[in-house]
């Protein structure tokens, strides 16, 4: 195809070529590793294939006693993923075939050589993980020592290995102080076998010495026996452990509610004080008004109180002395003072109407 563009200045062309897309083909599939229950394959597509990219691989497998592929088991891998096939039966012979798939479709299946699975045995060797979850195999790096960021402990982590037909019961961890003398590693001060539950894939080694190289061994155990040991050498850090910054504690919801309630109460108190001084209103003004009213009523009751005429005997006055009448006095009638006395009491003193103090601190 040719795409042509034209304007007043000229013409330009762009040729386009379309290729017919086809399904991909697999050139070869080989067994890379095998256990009693798992197989890892290596798949190679045809080198001359230049069509659309491969999206996935599909493998079909069946026991040798089954003749029809219609009932075969299927498993699909994404392109570039590890090509593992699991949950196979120990000591069973399988037939395999594989096909590649792209956007056009699935290619033809390539028959692969049949494979007999090993018998049940001890678990496969565990794979110890180092930084960034990379598997560590000391047989490939005999003199490599992994630095630990801590001076007194190290966390050992690993991947779950194949159980080779028998479930893994637990893991065994053992570590020793190791030194390299005359080009060879020598172990000393080894620990006992430490048993770790199969539910975990990590174990923390505590109470280690700072700036010391340790060799750590890890084994998987099933009913048949122990796997071969996975090993790693670790050097602890010098001095104290690195300081890990503490995270600031977050404010709880209860504390936030308490702060909000306290702020609301403070605002109400300030508003009430402002209303009291400006308009004589509010709770404070109401309390002060009730107190003043009560004092005024008490004063009014005291000021309107009048005491009854006091009996002479209650005024603590001396008793009258009876004198014998003289001759002249007998001819004249006795003059009686008919003047009445009104007494008022203010709570402390008794007053007469004329203002004369009759008694002090009287009970009247």
């Amino acid at each position: 195809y040719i795409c042509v563009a034209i304007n007043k200045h000229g013409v330009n062309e762009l040729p386009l070529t379309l290729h017919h897309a086809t399904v991909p083909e697999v050139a070869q599939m080989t067994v890379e590793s095998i256990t009693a229950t798992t197989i890892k394959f290596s798949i190679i597509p045809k080198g001359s294939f230049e069509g659309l990219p491969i999206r996935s691989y599909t493998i079909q497998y069946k026991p040798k006693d089954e003749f029809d592929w219609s009932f075969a088991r299927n498993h699909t891998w994404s392109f570039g993923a590890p090509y593992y096939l699991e949950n196979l039966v120990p000591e069973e012979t399988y037939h395999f075939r594989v096909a590649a798939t792209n956007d056009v479709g699935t290619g033809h299946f390539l028959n692969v050589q049949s494979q007999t699975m090993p018998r049940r045995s001890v678990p496969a060797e565990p794979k110890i993980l180092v930084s960034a979850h990379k598997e560590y195999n000391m047989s490939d790096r005999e003199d490599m020592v992994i630095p630990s960021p801590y001076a007194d402990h190290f966390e050992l982590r690993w991947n779950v290995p194949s159980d080779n037909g028998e479930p893994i019961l637990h893991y065994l961890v053992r570590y020793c102080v190791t030194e390299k003398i005359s080009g060879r590693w020598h172990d000393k001060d080894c620990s006992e076998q430490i048993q770790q539950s199969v539910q975990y894939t990590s174990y923390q080694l505590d109470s280690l010495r700072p700036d010391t190289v340790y060799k750590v061994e890890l084994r998987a155990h099933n009913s048949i026996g122990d796997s071969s040991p996975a090993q790693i050498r670790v050097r602890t850090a010098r001095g104290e452990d690195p300081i890990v910054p503490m995270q600031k504690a977050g404010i709880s919801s209860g504390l936030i509610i308490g702060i909000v309630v306290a702020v609301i109460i403070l605002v109400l108190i300030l508003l009430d004080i402002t209303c009291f001084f400006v308009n004589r209103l509010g709770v404070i003004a109401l309390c002060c008004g009730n107190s003043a009213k009560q004092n005024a009523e008490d004063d009014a009751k005291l000021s309107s109180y009048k005491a009854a005429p006091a009996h002479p005997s209650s005024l603590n006055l001396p008793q009258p002395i009876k004198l014998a009448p003289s001759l002249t006095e007998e001819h004249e009638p006795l003059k009686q003072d008919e003047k009445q006395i009104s007494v008022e009491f203010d709570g402390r003193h008794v007053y007469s109407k004329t203002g004369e103090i009759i008694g002090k601190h009287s009970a009247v």
Side-chain angles (χ1 to χ4, degrees):
Y1 295 89
I2 298 176
C3 178
V4 180
I6 304 174
N7 64 9
K8 64 180 181 179
H9 300 289
V11 179
N12 198 359
E13 296 180 353
L14 177 65
L16 300 175
T17 302
L18 299 181
H19 298 278
H20 178 68
T22 59
V23 295
E25 300 291 340
V26 176
Q28 184 181 7
M29 185 176 76
T30 57
V31 175
E32 191 171 300
S33 63
I34 186 171
T35 68
T37 58
T38 63
I39 296 179
K40 182 180 180 181
F41 294 99
S42 175
I43 303 176
I44 302 174
K46 281 189 176 180
S48 59
F49 179 72
E50 297 180 355
L52 296 175
I54 296 175
R55 300 296 184 183
S56 62
Y57 289 109
T58 300
I59 187 172
Q60 291 184 346
Y61 60 100
K62 63 183 182 64
K64 66 177 181 178
D65 297 334
E66 296 181 6
F67 298 99
D68 191 356
W69 285 100
S70 300
F71 301 99
R73 300 166 183 83
N74 291 273
H75 186 82
T76 301
W77 301 295
S78 298
F79 180 78
Y83 305 129
Y84 277 102
L85 194 60
E86 300 177 322
N87 300 321
L88 301 176
V89 178
E91 302 182 61
E92 180 68 72
T93 300
Y94 288 94
H95 297 288
F96 303 96
R97 65 178 187 174
V98 63
T101 303
N102 62 6
D103 293 338
V104 178
T106 301
H108 299 288
F109 279 94
L110 173 69
N111 290 321
V112 183
Q113 183 180 0
S114 61
Q115 186 71 45
T116 301
M117 307 302 295
R119 66 177 186 177
R120 290 177 176 85
S121 63
V122 298
E125 180 180 311
K127 299 296 183 181
I128 297 176
L129 299 176
V130 293
S131 59
H133 299 278
K134 294 180 180 179
E135 294 182 353
Y136 179 87
N137 186 353
M138 201 179 72
S139 61
D140 298 336
R141 291 169 280 184
E142 181 67 25
D143 293 331
M144 179 175 288
V145 178
I146 304 300
S148 171
Y150 304 101
D152 62 347
H153 67 275
F154 174 75
E155 184 180 10
L156 179 68
R157 296 178 293 113
W158 60 88
N159 281 335
V160 178
S162 172
D163 58 13
N164 282 338
E166 291 294 332
I168 297 175
L169 301 178
H170 55 260
Y171 297 99
L172 298 173
V173 180
R174 179 175 176 265
Y175 60 96
C176 307
V177 176
T178 184
E179 293 179 333
K180 194 171 186 180
I181 302 174
S182 300
R184 299 185 62 183
W185 291 98
H186 297 271
D187 301 336
K188 62 179 181 180
D189 300 335
C190 295
S191 68
E192 299 293 332
Q193 292 277 11
I194 302 170
Q195 183 172 307
Q196 177 69 321
S197 172
V198 72
Q199 299 178 356
Y200 303 98
T201 57
S202 65
Y203 182 80
Q204 181 164 302
L205 308 176
D206 294 317
S207 303
L208 303 182
R209 305 173 191 172
D211 195 21
T212 304
V213 178
Y214 287 88
K215 184 184 77 173
V216 184
E217 295 181 348
L218 173 67
R219 292 177 172 87
H221 176 84
N222 62 8
S223 60
I224 299 177
D226 298 340
S227 69
S228 58
Q231 299 180 359
I232 186 174
R233 289 189 177 91
V234 179
R235 182 185 295 275
T236 54
R238 297 182 179 180
E240 300 179 354
D241 290 345
I243 299 175
V244 178
M246 296 182 61
Q247 297 181 353
K248 295 182 179 179
I251 300 177
S252 63
S253 58
L255 180 59
I256 295 175
I257 295 174
I259 293 174
V260 172
V261 172
V263 170
I264 293 174
I265 294 174
L266 180 61
V267 171
L268 292 176
I269 292 174
L270 293 177
L271 288 175
D272 193 69
I273 293 174
T274 304
C275 292
F276 173 73
F277 286 106
V278 175
N279 298 322
R280 295 293 176 180
L281 297 174
V283 179
I284 298 176
L286 181 62
C287 295
C288 293
N290 291 338
S291 178
K293 184 177 179 181
Q294 184 65 30
N295 293 334
E297 290 178 356
D298 293 341
D299 293 342
K301 288 179 181 180
L302 291 175
S303 62
S304 62
Y305 175 78
K306 288 186 178 181
H311 193 276
S313 61
S314 65
L315 299 177
N316 295 326
L317 299 177
Q319 295 293 330
I321 300 175
K322 187 175 182 181
L323 301 175
S326 61
L327 295 176
T328 58
E329 291 175 348
E330 291 178 353
H331 298 285
E332 298 179 0
L334 294 176
K335 297 181 180 180
Q336 298 180 356
D337 190 1
E338 298 179 354
K339 189 175 182 180
Q340 296 182 354
I341 301 174
S342 177
V343 179
E344 292 184 359
F345 176 66
D346 64 357
R348 295 185 61 187
H349 300 84
V350 178
Y351 299 91
S352 65
K353 279 188 175 182
T354 59
E356 181 182 1
I357 299 176
I358 303 301
K360 187 176 182 181
H361 305 293
S362 171
V364 180

